[in-house]
Amino acid sequence: MSDSYLSKISELHELLGIPASFREECSMPLCHTPAQLVATEPDYYGRPQQLTPEAFAAWSDMKAAAARDGVVIHLISAYRDPDYQCQIFKRKLDAGEPLAAILRVNAAPGYSEHHTGRAIDLGTLDCPALETEFEKTPAFAWLSEHAGTFGFALSYPRDNAHGIGYEPWHWCFMS
Ligand SMILES: [Zn+2]
């Protein structure tokens, strides 16, 4: 199964012009899609979203606990499959963005933690989505203190080892 997944990812990369050397040198682990996904509540934009059953249960508990503390956190994005990630790249390439520039802000298909069904992008009131200033919100302060209790961790803190930009909004269910 792992071999067929890797060949699927290689096909998508070929389609986008990402060379094989990228997969050999990538410091990020290949992220596999889960066996099971369940529908969550619609995201902030009303789009359907999915997570693994365990991640969804933990996210629901965490959101409810935050609400009891008067803190609003909402879902901006959850599971994304490699084809979806490929479409993001295609749109940007078609718009004339160089591949290297896209790879600096978007994980290549196969390497996004969102493929696992355990990663969530979160937002809150009065803060633009997916911006660093999320770190200044009460929601981020609450998450920093309590997310670990629910099994969530910040995947890309400042100066992380993966060389990925700081993403205070991106949390992953680890256990
Ligand atoms: Zn994310």
Side-chain angles (χ1 to χ4, degrees):
M1 133 135 194
S2 138
D3 280 355
S4 71
Y5 186 66
L6 190 58
S7 59
K8 154 98 180 162
I9 296 307
S10 303
E11 270 171 41
L12 293 179
H13 284 200
E14 268 167 44
L15 198 73
L16 297 170
I18 301 173
S21 58
F22 173 88
R23 295 183 288 288
E24 285 149 22
E25 290 158 16
C26 189
S27 75
M28 316 256 299
L30 190 65
C31 291
H32 288 265
T33 51
Q36 198 190 356
L37 288 163
V38 293
T40 69
E41 76 278 23
D43 69 17
Y44 180 67
Y45 305 101
R47 302 174 299 188
Q49 293 289 348
Q50 294 175 295
L51 287 171
T52 66
E54 298 78 14
F56 179 47
W59 155 242
S60 301
D61 288 349
M62 182 163 78
K63 187 170 80 162
R68 284 194 296 276
D69 287 345
V71 174
V72 174
I73 356 174
H74 51 238
L75 202 57
I76 289 182
S77 184
Y79 172 72
R80 303 201 292 257
D81 69 17
D83 291 300
Y84 183 98
Q85 199 74 6
C86 188
Q87 289 311 311
I88 295 176
F89 272 71
K90 242 187 128 324
R91 267 203 305 275
K92 291 188 170 187
L93 287 169
D94 290 349
E97 267 192 66
L99 181 63
I102 306 170
L103 282 167
R104 276 196 291 275
V105 286
N106 291 99
Y111 295 85
S112 168
E113 221 173 38
H114 286 280
H115 298 340
T116 66
R118 292 182 289 106
I120 46 180
D121 291 336
L122 299 176
T124 191
L125 303 174
D126 303 319
C127 181
L130 315 181
E131 295 286 346
T132 307
E133 62 193 86
F134 181 69
E135 73 174 342
K136 298 187 187 122
T137 64
F140 182 75
W142 190 92
L143 285 164
S144 299
E145 194 179 341
H146 300 286
T149 313
F150 298 91
F152 284 90
L154 190 65
S155 299
Y156 309 116
R158 274 188 204 285
D159 306 317
N160 60 76
H162 300 298
I164 296 193
Y166 176 46
E167 294 193 359
W169 59 83
H170 178 113
W171 295 76
C172 192
F173 180 65
M174 299 300 189
S175 55

